[in-house]
Amino acid sequence: MLTRASQPDGGDQENGVRTVLGLSHRGEMDGVAAAILRTDGVLVVEQGPAAFVPYSRAVKTFLRRARKAVAEGRRGAQDVRDAERAVTSTFIEAASNLLSEVAEAGDRKIDLVGYEGPDIDGSEIVIRGLQGRTRLCDAARLAREIGVSCVGSFDAADVAAGGAGGDLAETFLAALAMRSPQLRAPCAILDVADAAHLTFPPQTEADAPISFDCGPGLALVDSWMRIKTGEPVDRDGKAAKAGRVDEETLALMLTNPYLKRGAPKRLRPDDFRIAPVNSLSIFDGAATLTAFAAACAARSVDLLPSTPGAWIVCGRGRRNPALMAELSGRLSGRVGRLEDFGLRGDFLDAERAAFLAVRSARRLPISFPKTTGAPHALTGGKVVLASAGAVLGQ
C-alpha cells in the first residue's frame, strides 16, 4: 500500500526517484486537482492515479469575498483568512481521498507533497512576477494533517531575484515532451487560458527551455462576450464559429509592439485591448479576437531557434473548437490537444506541482534567464516539514 513519509528526503535514494502527491487549484473557481507522480525531477517515470474535488458553494463564496478584499487593498482581512482556511480544507480533502483510494502499489510511499493554491489577485490577464501576489494555502496545516512534508511557493526566489515568476512549468513540460514517443521532433507547448504562454523545450542537455507569453489567449474574447452578451466566455467557441474574421482589423491588431518584443516577456493588462473590434458585430468580433489569439502564436515562431514540428495545446483553450481550428490553420506542423499526444490535461497543474516539489527538494533549477528573465538559473520552493511545521527556504 502507499504509505506516508514525513521528511523531504525520501524516495529511491539510488536514482533520486520520489513518489509525490501534487495538489493544485483548478480553473477560475472549480476545485482542487490531485495527482500522484513518480519522478526524479528530470524525467517523468510514472503518472499515477488522480482525482478532483470541486469547491463547495461556501468555498466559492469565501473566494469571491477574498478577491474583493484584495482588490480593495485589504490583504489581511478576515475574508482572506476565511478563504485560506476553506481552500486548505479542500486541499486536505482531495489529498486524503486520493490516498485512501489508491490500490496496491508495492511498497511505495508518498515522499512529498507539492502544492499551489489559488491566486486571488484576479485580473483578466495574469500579471506575473508581482511580489504581492496572494496565493491561498496554509502549508503548515496541510503538511501536519496529511502527515507528509509539503513544498510550494515555487517562484518566490525567482521574484526576489528580479525574475517574472509565474507557474514555472517549463521543466515539467519538457519532461512530458520527452515522455511522449510522438514528440521526438522539436515541439512547442502552448498553454492557452486568459493569456497564451509558449514553452519551447530544450533540444539538447546543454540547452535551457525558452518560455514567454506570446499573446492574449482568451482574455480578449472573454471581455468581448461579457460586454456584449453578459456571458463570461464564448462557450465552445460558438460565437466565433458563427462569425467571420475581419482580416483588415486582424492585420491592424498584429502591428501591436508587444509581438516584436524579445523573449522572455510577460503580459500586462494594457498590452492588448478590444477597441479595434468595437465596430464589428458580436459574432465577427468574437471570430476576429479568436483568430488574433492564434495569429499571435504563429508570430511567436520568429522568437524560437527552430520551427516546431508539433504544437501541444493545453489549458482551457484546448476545449475551444474555434480556437483550435484557427491554430491548426495558422501554425505549421501538427496541432493537437495534450490528450492527442497521450498526455492528460485535466491534472497538468497538479502534476507540475509534484514535479517542481522534487526539483526543489533536489536543489535543481526551476527558473532560467530565458523563461523568467532571472539573472541566472535558480532553484526555489519552500519546504514545510510535516513533523514540526518548520519552513525551510530553498
Side-chain angles (χ1 to χ4, degrees), residues 319-380:
R319 301 190 185 281
N320 184 315
L323 176 64
M324 291 300 296
E326 285 289 345
L327 288 170
S328 296
R330 296 177 185 275
L331 297 172
S332 62
R334 179 185 176 187
V335 178
R337 302 181 308 143
L338 204 68
E339 291 83 355
D340 298 330
F341 293 93
L343 305 169
R344 58 186 185 184
D346 287 338
F347 297 95
L348 186 71
D349 289 344
E351 291 182 338
R352 169 178 51 82
F355 187 84
L356 291 178
V358 175
R359 288 190 72 86
S360 297
R362 296 190 63 193
R363 309 296 197 272
L364 297 174
I366 59 177
S367 64
F368 307 85
K370 290 185 177 181
T371 63
T372 68
H376 52 82
L378 293 168
T379 186

Side-chain angles (χ1 to χ4, degrees), residues 267-342:
L267 285 170
R268 298 279 177 170
D270 59 352
D271 282 326
F272 295 98
R273 298 184 181 276
I274 63 172
V277 302
N278 280 343
S279 63
L280 303 181
S281 69
I282 293 175
F283 299 136
D284 289 354
T288 303
L289 292 172
T290 301
F292 179 59
C296 288
R299 286 288 180 93
S300 68
V301 174
D302 295 339
L303 302 179
L304 301 178
S306 60
T307 301
W311 292 79
I312 311 169
V313 185
C314 54
R316 65 184 176 95
R318 78 190 197 282
R319 301 190 185 281
N320 184 315
L323 176 64
M324 291 300 296
E326 285 289 345
L327 288 170
S328 296
R330 296 177 185 275
L331 297 172
S332 62
R334 179 185 176 187
V335 178
R337 302 181 308 143
L338 204 68
E339 291 83 355
D340 298 330
F341 293 93

Side-chain angles (χ1 to χ4, degrees), residues 143-349:
R144 183 174 64 252
E145 295 201 23
I146 297 177
V148 183
S149 294
C150 297
V151 189
S153 300
F154 298 111
D155 66 348
D158 179 82
V159 171
D167 59 21
L168 307 185
E170 294 79 22
T171 52
F172 174 58
L173 294 175
L176 284 183
M178 287 188 286
R179 180 173 174 80
S180 175
Q182 305 176 65
L183 298 173
R184 299 306 181 205
C187 67
I189 302 166
L190 190 63
D191 185 356
V192 185
D194 291 349
H197 190 75
L198 185 148
T199 296
F200 190 75
Q203 302 305 298
T204 70
E205 291 185 4
D207 296 334
I210 298 171
S211 182
F212 55 92
D213 288 342
C214 63
L218 296 173
L220 295 184
V221 71
D222 289 349
S223 294
W224 178 256
M225 295 303 292
R226 280 195 294 270
I227 293 169
K228 296 296 183 178
T229 71
E231 291 292 324
V233 298
D234 181 12
R235 300 188 187 282
D236 299 320
K238 290 181 179 178
K241 287 190 290 185
R244 296 181 61 182
V245 177
D246 187 301
E247 296 294 343
E248 184 176 344
T249 300
L250 178 61
L252 174 65
M253 296 180 73
L254 287 171
T255 63
N256 189 299
Y258 180 88
L259 300 178
K260 298 179 181 179
R261 230 179 276 170
K265 54 184 176 179
R266 294 291 185 266
L267 285 170
R268 298 279 177 170
D270 59 352
D271 282 326
F272 295 98
R273 298 184 181 276
I274 63 172
V277 302
N278 280 343
S279 63
L280 303 181
S281 69
I282 293 175
F283 299 136
D284 289 354
T288 303
L289 292 172
T290 301
F292 179 59
C296 288
R299 286 288 180 93
S300 68
V301 174
D302 295 339
L303 302 179
L304 301 178
S306 60
T307 301
W311 292 79
I312 311 169
V313 185
C314 54
R316 65 184 176 95
R318 78 190 197 282
R319 301 190 185 281
N320 184 315
L323 176 64
M324 291 300 296
E326 285 289 345
L327 288 170
S328 296
R330 296 177 185 275
L331 297 172
S332 62
R334 179 185 176 187
V335 178
R337 302 181 308 143
L338 204 68
E339 291 83 355
D340 298 330
F341 293 93
L343 305 169
R344 58 186 185 184
D346 287 338
F347 297 95
L348 186 71
D349 289 344

Side-chain angles (χ1 to χ4, degrees), residues 46-133:
E46 180 182 352
Q47 293 171 287
F52 176 72
V53 173
Y55 286 135
S56 67
R57 182 177 299 177
V59 176
K60 292 180 180 181
T61 299
F62 283 134
L63 280 169
R64 282 192 290 269
R65 290 175 179 171
R67 284 190 170 180
K68 182 175 184 294
V70 170
E72 295 172 352
R74 298 182 291 112
R75 292 179 183 272
Q78 184 64 44
D79 287 334
V80 177
R81 294 193 291 272
D82 288 342
E84 182 173 68
R85 187 179 305 109
V87 167
T88 303
S89 294
T90 310
F91 270 51
I92 293 167
E93 179 184 355
S96 299
N97 287 353
L98 184 56
L99 291 174
S100 65
E101 292 173 5
V102 170
E104 291 290 333
D107 59 355
R108 297 176 188 171
K109 61 183 179 296
I110 296 297
D111 302 304
L112 278 176
V113 171
Y115 71 91
E116 185 170 65
D119 182 335
I120 62 166
D121 286 80
S123 59
E124 291 176 6
I125 296 177
V126 175
I127 303 174
R128 303 168 188 264
L130 297 184
Q131 296 191 45
R133 303 304 289 176

